[in-house]
Amino acid sequence: TAQDSEKLTSSVGMVSGDWLQLSNHLSNNTLPQISSLGDQYKPPQDGKFDVILMAETTYTTLAARQTAFLILHHLKLPLSRSLEHKNIDKGDDSGGVAFVASKRYYFGVGGGVDVFREECQALKLVVDDDTHGDDENKRTSWWKLQV
C-alpha cells in the first residue's frame, strides 16, 4: 500500500564515504542530511540499526577494519548484551544483523575476505559467511554478521 511504502522509504537511508567519520556523526547524532529513498531520512537517535547492508567495503586492511568497527558500534545489540535490559524477558534476542558483500581478494591493495574475517574475529563479531563460486574460483562472499 502507499502507506507501507511511505513508512519504508522514511526508514531506509543510503550513505557512502569514510566509515569512521560516519561512525562519529552517528555517535554524536550530528549526521548531515543523507541520500535516502524518502524525502527526509532520520537515523535512530542512538545510532544503532536493525539492518546494515554494505558492499565493496573491505578492499584494504584499513577499510576492512573500519567496516568491522562500524558494524560493531552501530548494529543493535541483542537484549542479553544490552546493559539497560538485564532484567526483562528476552523474547526475540537476535539484535541487529549486517550483510556485507566482498571480493575474495582485492589485487594490489591487500583487502578481501580473509582480512575482513580476521578483523571481525578480533572484535568478537559473530560471522556467518557464504562464499559463492566453485572451490577453485571463489570470487564473491556474502557475510552475515551479528554483535
Side-chain angles (χ1 to χ4, degrees):
T1 68
Q3 191 175 31
D4 290 334
S5 178
E6 285 179 34
K7 184 177 179 182
L8 175 65
T9 58
S10 67
S11 63
V12 174
M14 293 175 273
V15 297
S16 63
D18 182 272
W19 296 127
L20 292 183
Q21 185 177 30
L22 174 62
S23 179
N24 186 45
H25 281 302
L26 287 168
S27 296
N28 296 315
N29 203 15
T30 59
L31 191 66
Q33 185 172 351
I34 61 174
S35 172
S36 72
L37 298 175
D39 293 332
Q40 183 73 23
Y41 172 74
K42 291 185 176 52
Q45 289 274 11
D46 64 359
K48 305 279 185 177
F49 296 87
D50 294 315
V51 178
I52 297 175
L53 303 174
M54 303 173 109
E56 304 298 333
T57 59
T58 66
Y59 45 88
T60 65
T61 301
L62 179 60
R65 182 176 303 124
Q66 291 176 345
T67 298
F69 177 90
L70 183 87
I71 291 168
L72 176 67
H73 288 89
H74 298 288
L75 203 58
K76 281 189 179 173
L77 290 173
L79 290 178
S80 60
R81 291 195 52 199
S82 182
L83 295 176
E84 65 272 14
H85 294 100
K86 275 186 176 177
N87 298 317
I88 65 170
D89 178 28
K90 303 299 187 277
D92 177 15
D93 192 30
S94 58
V97 63
F99 295 96
V100 180
S102 175
K103 289 185 176 74
R104 174 124 176 92
Y105 184 76
Y106 290 85
F107 291 97
V109 290
V113 168
D114 294 334
V115 172
F116 185 57
R117 181 183 291 118
E118 290 172 11
E119 295 297 335
C120 290
Q121 289 172 342
L123 295 174
K124 308 288 188 235
L125 289 167
V126 178
V127 179
D128 178 17
D129 64 274
D130 180 20
T131 304
H132 298 280
D134 59 40
D135 290 343
E136 299 293 320
N137 194 20
K138 294 179 180 174
R139 293 189 176 138
T140 304
S141 289
W142 281 98
W143 297 74
K144 177 182 174 186
L145 299 110
Q146 293 180 292
V147 178

